């Protein structure tokens, strides 16, 4: 069904509704209209990394972990699986007339906000700090979710529009002030890409104001940019209870009727919250014109028709048995393996279990299920922690000793004990082991959304990049034993790993790896596969040189603008082998009105088969308006056998050669450009850590 066909059907159906009925359909929990054979529908569903909050589903690695794969095609496959399971669950639930929350086909994912500051608690819901990487991964995910059939498989949603990345504690009253240059250079590109290229069906507004306007009622964002500049034809939904913030916190309106009017006039079609219950009062008081109600209602029913909710679809017979089936679980495991980032390795990894008698496994995240699934998750039928993964891998051949070591953040595990009550046990385990694997990090209780259902600290943001003090004490105690030490970090954001970097033999960033993530970690530790993930965010030494958290200027932030050296740079990640780009050539002379065609040859000069990620960065050498450093412009995951060389053709979009001026206008000005083709950034720190230098290609237009 084309959008125009769906729009006409929607308009005809809406024309038969009373104004009260139309107004009722703009709520997220839209009631049934029996006389028109319209069933109730709840618009609120979640699919950040699997169908969430509605029972059993395949639980994939958290979004930031999937970003570390640097793999657009894999993101499309994951989106396809999530939408398949979403359809299967919808078919089963709706057959029983279960129209509850989290059981519809409109999924409020992905989160394509830019992870601009490592203190932001929700950053692990995103695809990282780079607008190009975020755009490509978001496009893959949305295309997988929505499908390419005659009927839309599920409806994806780009959120949170726009300029939204903390602080969480202030989001209901905060005004994110960003220059037009930063808007169009960093904060808006991913949304534009998902609207124009992926044809995302929905866009969710943010809680905060942007440059003075509340995002869910912003004429600039929703009218001028989204529907005006970009031609968006889908529907807009508010973040939950965000419209209530207009009058209660932002103080830009005097009450719910005025807030509803402001949002409707900006084209916010669906209210997640309660403010649109005041629509009819607003109509009676002359504050709301019926035309806005009708337009929003038609857009929402257009989506329902596109999903085949009235006429049926090819997806109606997807059986429940596909939910968490073997193939889907294997895809999630594959994603967990590909997303892990090896940050340091002095040669201790991979482990040879034939040469080990005893392994010590220590740490608060070693045997906890919570860090497996991050936030916004479904329920798995089985979880495998890191401890369990290691135990399953070595079987009876190696003794595994275990100690929790410390609480995740409290100073003791047992309430009546002295502080640091598990450290002596952890040291004992280390002293009796050939090597110790310590599993540290955070979980959704420490980093996440403000007042999320599992967020134990209220805000969810981090004050510093340091691990909680009990974990730092545990790490120091294990280092003092002098024993071999492998650090596994389960976390969704950048952490200060200076101590581990100096003293540990290896560091593996495992993120929040999904329900069976412990098996994926064990597969990497024991060499069943080579790690191949790359950091989608910068790991800073600290925040001393960063702008204030509330400062939305990009100056000094992320790899594109930072002025300090990184501990672990964006795009960095080791493998068990060594790959390098050995040649990069332009296929033809670049021109102003065409894409750049680049041929890259990559060789695995090591002794282990592995995957790696080709990364190409571009720098405008002349224009003072260009980003301070350089920008990722194309990437490609590639598999190489030991000693193998492959040559691939890469296309760099013409837009990579443009600059954004102070008025937000993107233009091509020509000049001198440099490309860096490698397996990392071209900065000195990346070259030192990766042990290979990108190939440079220069051209002038």
């Amino acid at each position: 069904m084309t959008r125009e066909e769906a729009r006409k059907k929607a308009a005809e159906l809406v024309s038969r509704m009373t104004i009260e009925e139309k107004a009722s359909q703009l709520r997220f929990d839209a009631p049934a209209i029996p006389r028109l054979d319209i069933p109730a529908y709840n618009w609120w569903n979640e699919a950040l990394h699997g169908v969430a909050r509605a029972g059993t589903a395949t639980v994939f690695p958290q979004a930031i972990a999937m970003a570390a794969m640097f793999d657009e095609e894999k993101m499309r496959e994951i989106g396809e699986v999530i939408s398949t399971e979403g359809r299967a669950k919808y078919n089963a639930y709706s057959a029983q007339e279960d129209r509850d929350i989290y059981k519809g086909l409109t999924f409020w994912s992905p989160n394509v906000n830019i992870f601009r500051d490592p203190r932001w608690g929700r950053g692990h819901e995103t695809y990282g700090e780079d607008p190009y990487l975020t755009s490509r991964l978001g496009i893959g995910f949305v295309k997988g979710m929505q499908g390419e059939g005659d009927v839309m498989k599920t409806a994806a949603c780009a959120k949170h529009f726009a300029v939204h990345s903390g602080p969480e504690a202030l989001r209901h009253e905060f005004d994110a002030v960003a220059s037009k240059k930063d808007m169009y250079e960093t904060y808006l590109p991913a949304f534009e890409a998902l609207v124009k290229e992926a044809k995302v069906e929905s866009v969710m507004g943010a809680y905060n104001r942007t440059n003075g306007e509340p995002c869910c009622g912003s004429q600039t964002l929703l009218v001028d940019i989204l529907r005006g500049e970009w031609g968006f034809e889908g529907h807009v939904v508010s973040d939950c209870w965000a419209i209530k913030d207009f009058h209660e916190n932002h103080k830009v309106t005097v009450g719910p009727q005025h807030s509803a009017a402001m949002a409707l006039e900006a084209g916010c079609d669906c209210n997640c919250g309660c403010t649109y219950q005041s629509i009819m009062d607003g109509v009676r008081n002359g504050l709301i014109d019926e035309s806005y109600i009708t337009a929003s209602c038609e857009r929402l029913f257009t989506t329902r028709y596109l999903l085949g909710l009235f006429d049926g679809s090819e997806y109606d017979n997807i059986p429940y048995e596909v939910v968490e089936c073997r193939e889907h679980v294997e895809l999630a495991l594959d994603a967990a393996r590909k997303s892990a980032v090896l940050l340091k390795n002095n040669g201790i990894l991979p482990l040879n279990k034939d040469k080990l008698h005893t392994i010590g496994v220590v740490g608060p995240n070693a045997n906890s299920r919570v860090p497996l699934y991050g936030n916004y998750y479904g329920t798995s039928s089985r979880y495998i922690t890191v401890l369990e993964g290691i135990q399953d891998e070595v079987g009876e051949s190696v003794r595994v000793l275990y100690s929790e070591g410390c609480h995740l953040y409290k100073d003791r595990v047992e309430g009546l004990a002295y502080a640091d009550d598990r450290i002596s046990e952890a040291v004992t385990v280390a002293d009796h082991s050939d090597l110790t694997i310590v599993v540290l990090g955070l979980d959704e209780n420490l980093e996440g959304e403000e007042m999320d259902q599992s967020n134990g600290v209220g805000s969810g943001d981090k004050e510093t990049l340091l691990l909680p003090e009990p974990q730092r004490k545990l790490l120091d105690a294990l280092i003092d034993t002098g024993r071999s030490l492998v650090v596994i970090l389960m976390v969704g954001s950048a952490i200060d790993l200076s101590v581990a970097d100096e003293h540990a033999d290896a560091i593996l960033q495992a993120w929040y790896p999904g329900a069976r993530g412990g098996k994926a970690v064990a597969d990497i530790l024991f060499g069943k596969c080579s790690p191949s993930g790359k950091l989608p965010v910068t790991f800073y030494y600290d925040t001393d040189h960063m702008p204030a958290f509330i400062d939305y200027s990009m100056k000094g932030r992320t790899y594109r603008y930072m002025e300090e050296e990184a501990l672990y740079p964006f795009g960095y990640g080791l493998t068990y082998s060594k790959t390098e780009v050995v040649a990069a050539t332009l296929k033809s002379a670049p021109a102003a009105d065409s894409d750049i065609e680049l041929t890259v040859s990559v060789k695995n000069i090591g002794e282990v088969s592995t995957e790696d990620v080709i990364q190409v960065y571009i720098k405008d050498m002349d224009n003072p308006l260009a980003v301070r450093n350089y920008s990722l412009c194309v990437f490609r995951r590639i598999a190489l056998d030991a000693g193998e060389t492959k040559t691939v053709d890469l296309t760099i979009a013409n837009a990579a050669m443009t600059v954004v001026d102070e008025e937000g206008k993107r233009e091509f000005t020509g000049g001198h450009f440099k490309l860096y083709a490698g397996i990392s950034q071209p900065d000195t720190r990346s070259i030192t850590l990766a042990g290979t230098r990108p190939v440079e290609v220069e051209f002038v237009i």
Side-chain angles (χ1 to χ4, degrees):
M1 180 183 296
T2 66
R3 179 171 293 277
E4 182 58 23
E5 291 170 338
R7 189 196 64 76
K8 288 181 178 178
K9 287 190 173 188
E12 193 280 327
L13 181 60
V14 171
S15 71
R16 291 187 278 144
M17 298 179 189
T18 66
I19 186 172
E20 290 83 4
E21 288 170 336
K22 287 186 287 187
S24 75
Q25 297 301 297
L26 308 191
R27 294 163 33 189
F28 77 95
D29 52 347
I33 306 178
R35 72 177 187 86
L36 297 177
D37 295 321
I38 298 173
Y41 184 77
N42 197 300
W43 290 84
W44 188 345
N45 208 344
E46 304 285 357
L48 181 64
H49 54 117
V51 181
R53 297 180 174 177
T56 301
T58 303
V59 181
F60 288 89
Q62 181 69 323
I64 194 70
M66 294 193 292
M69 296 189 296
F70 276 62
D71 194 336
E72 181 179 345
E73 178 57 29
K74 188 65 66 176
M75 291 299 296
R76 185 190 62 78
E77 292 178 31
I78 290 170
E80 287 180 352
V81 164
I82 294 172
S83 62
T84 296
E85 294 195 2
R87 272 284 178 174
K89 293 166 80 68
Y90 174 80
N91 293 342
Y93 296 147
S94 60
Q96 302 177 60
E97 294 300 323
D98 184 352
R99 310 287 181 178
D100 200 3
I101 192 171
Y102 309 132
K103 295 178 180 177
L105 293 174
T106 41
F107 290 95
W108 293 347
S109 302
N111 182 339
V112 292
N113 291 128
I114 296 300
F115 199 174
R116 68 181 179 97
D117 191 300
R119 291 166 285 199
W120 185 35
R122 285 191 86 175
H124 57 95
E125 297 178 27
T126 77
Y127 299 139
E129 69 184 41
D130 181 70
Y132 176 77
L133 178 67
T134 299
S135 299
R136 300 318 309 172
L137 299 182
I139 286 169
F141 186 83
V142 169
K143 286 185 174 180
M145 288 287 292
Q146 298 190 165
E148 298 179 2
D150 292 334
V151 169
M152 188 178 295
K153 194 175 180 184
T154 62
C157 176
K159 66 181 187 185
H160 310 82
F161 191 60
V163 197
H164 177 75
S165 52
E168 285 293 298
L170 303 177
R171 66 183 186 172
H172 298 285
E173 62 195 55
F174 183 67
D175 184 13
V177 178
S179 69
K180 289 183 178 180
K181 180 174 176 61
D182 283 339
M183 291 278 286
Y184 283 89
E185 195 169 74
T186 298
Y187 294 117
L188 297 182
F191 289 98
E192 182 177 9
L194 265 58
V195 168
K196 289 184 174 180
E197 187 171 343
K199 307 298 181 185
V200 70
E201 181 62 17
S202 177
V203 170
M204 176 183 281
Y207 283 110
N208 53 276
R209 280 170 286 154
T210 295
N211 295 328
E213 295 179 286
C215 293
C216 293
S218 170
Q219 290 285 323
T220 301
L221 291 174
L222 301 182
V223 178
D224 299 341
I225 296 175
L226 183 62
R227 297 195 188 277
E229 292 180 22
W230 300 345
F232 177 65
E233 296 182 304
H235 70 269
V236 173
V237 60
S238 75
D239 209 337
C240 296
W241 284 265
I243 298 176
K244 182 178 70 170
D245 287 336
F246 292 8
H247 53 275
E248 290 192 355
N249 296 304
H250 294 306
K251 307 294 186 182
V252 297
T253 59
V254 296
Q257 296 175 40
H258 291 81
S259 295
M262 184 180 197
L264 280 170
E265 290 175 11
C268 185
D269 306 305
C270 181
N271 176 210
C272 182
C274 57
T275 309
Y276 278 11
Q277 293 177 15
S278 300
I279 284 177
M280 290 310 302
D281 289 335
V283 172
R284 285 186 283 269
N285 289 324
L287 298 173
I288 298 174
D289 190 280
E290 184 176 357
S291 63
Y292 293 109
I293 300 170
T294 301
S296 288
C297 198
E298 288 181 355
R299 284 194 285 261
L300 291 173
F301 274 92
T302 297
T303 298
R304 291 176 73 170
Y305 272 107
L306 287 170
L307 287 165
L309 299 188
F310 296 105
D311 301 327
S313 76
E314 61 192 282
Y315 306 115
D316 292 349
N317 295 320
I318 294 178
Y320 186 77
E321 284 74 13
V322 302
V323 174
E324 208 190 27
C325 65
R326 178 178 298 179
E327 292 79 7
H328 295 178
V329 171
E330 283 299 320
L331 181 62
L333 265 173
D334 186 51
R337 296 183 189 106
K338 287 179 166 61
S339 67
V341 184
L342 184 61
L343 298 175
K344 179 183 178 181
N345 185 22
N346 66 3
I348 195 173
L349 297 180
L351 302 175
N352 185 345
K353 59 187 175 184
D354 294 333
K355 296 182 178 180
L356 296 170
H357 299 287
T358 306
I359 296 175
V361 180
V362 175
N365 275 347
N367 199 34
S368 173
R369 289 181 172 184
V370 182
L372 295 177
Y373 44 72
N375 70 347
Y376 283 94
Y377 49 83
T379 301
S380 178
S381 64
R382 185 185 180 199
Y383 297 90
I384 303 176
T385 66
V386 172
L387 174 63
E388 291 167 339
I390 292 170
Q391 290 170 329
D392 291 346
E393 176 60 32
V394 301
E396 298 298 321
S397 64
V398 179
R399 178 70 190 276
V400 178
L401 301 178
Y402 166 68
S403 171
E404 187 176 357
C406 66
H407 189 275
L408 191 69
Y409 58 91
K410 296 179 181 178
D411 69 352
R412 67 204 71 195
V413 173
E414 297 292 340
L416 297 179
Y418 293 137
D420 307 322
D421 57 330
R422 289 290 184 269
I423 285 186
S424 61
E425 180 188 47
V427 170
T428 300
V429 166
D431 285 340
H432 287 78
S433 302
D434 298 324
L435 66 93
T436 303
I437 298 169
V438 58
V439 190
L440 306 173
L442 307 173
D443 64 22
E444 66 169 351
N445 293 291
L446 294 179
E447 62 171 347
E449 183 175 4
E450 177 249 1
M451 295 307 293
D452 195 13
Q453 55 189 15
S454 299
N455 181 4
V457 295
S459 164
D461 293 331
K462 304 198 305 270
E463 292 185 2
T464 74
L465 303 187
L466 295 172
L467 286 168
E469 185 177 8
Q471 295 189 50
R472 302 201 304 271
K473 288 184 177 180
L474 172 63
L475 180 60
D476 289 341
L478 293 173
I479 290 169
D480 288 343
T481 67
R483 302 281 183 162
S484 296
L485 184 63
V486 175
V487 174
I488 308 293
L489 192 66
M490 300 180 76
V491 69
S493 56
I495 291 291
D496 180 352
L497 292 175
S498 301
V499 173
D501 183 68
E502 182 178 355
H503 297 286
D505 295 285
I507 305 172
L508 182 69
Q509 171 75 11
W511 310 104
Y512 301 136
R516 291 160 172 81
K519 174 173 171 48
V521 170
D523 286 346
I524 292 171
L525 291 176
F526 291 93
K528 284 192 169 181
C529 62
S530 171
S532 56
K534 303 290 184 179
L535 290 180
V537 290
T538 300
F539 272 45
Y540 304 87
Y541 282 97
D542 51 46
T543 58
D544 292 351
H545 300 284
M546 294 195 70
F549 195 4
I550 60 173
D551 181 357
Y552 265 74
S553 167
M554 288 305 299
K555 179 178 172 56
R557 298 187 185 279
T558 76
Y559 81 93
R560 297 199 302 162
Y561 306 98
M562 64 186 298
E563 301 174 19
E564 307 296 322
E565 183 178 78
L567 174 61
Y568 299 123
F570 172 94
Y572 166 68
L574 301 171
T575 72
Y576 287 156
S577 194
K578 185 176 181 181
T579 58
E580 63 180 15
V581 171
V582 294
T585 57
L586 295 169
K587 296 181 70 174
S588 60
D593 57 353
S594 61
D595 296 338
I596 303 170
E597 301 295 336
L598 186 70
T599 299
V600 176
S601 294
V602 190
K603 183 175 183 179
N604 181 351
I605 62 175
E607 299 177 353
V608 177
S609 296
T610 190
E611 293 188 7
D612 211 325
V613 178
I614 302 169
Q615 303 168 48
V616 182
Y617 296 83
I618 188 168
K619 182 174 179 61
D620 187 322
M621 307 298 290
D622 292 339
N623 198 317
L625 292 172
V627 298
R628 180 186 187 276
N629 300 325
Y630 33 73
S631 297
L632 180 71
C633 57
V634 72
F635 57 90
R636 177 78 58 82
R637 177 169 278 268
I638 188 171
L640 294 164
D641 291 332
E644 182 181 14
T645 299
K646 284 185 178 178
T647 299
V648 297
D649 293 330
L650 302 173
T651 300
I652 301 169
N654 173 267
M657 296 184 288
T658 62
V659 296
V660 178
D661 67 19
E662 299 299 342
E663 294 302 312
K665 303 297 183 183
R666 185 176 292 275
E667 58 185 3
F668 175 83
T669 57
H672 177 199
F673 296 89
K674 185 177 288 189
L675 298 174
Y676 306 88
I679 49 113
S680 71
Q681 282 189 63
D683 64 295
T684 301
R685 177 67 173 164
S686 294
I687 292 169
T688 300
L689 291 170
T692 180
R693 182 182 298 273
V695 173
E696 298 182 9
V697 178
E698 296 188 57
F699 62 92
V700 176
I701 298 180

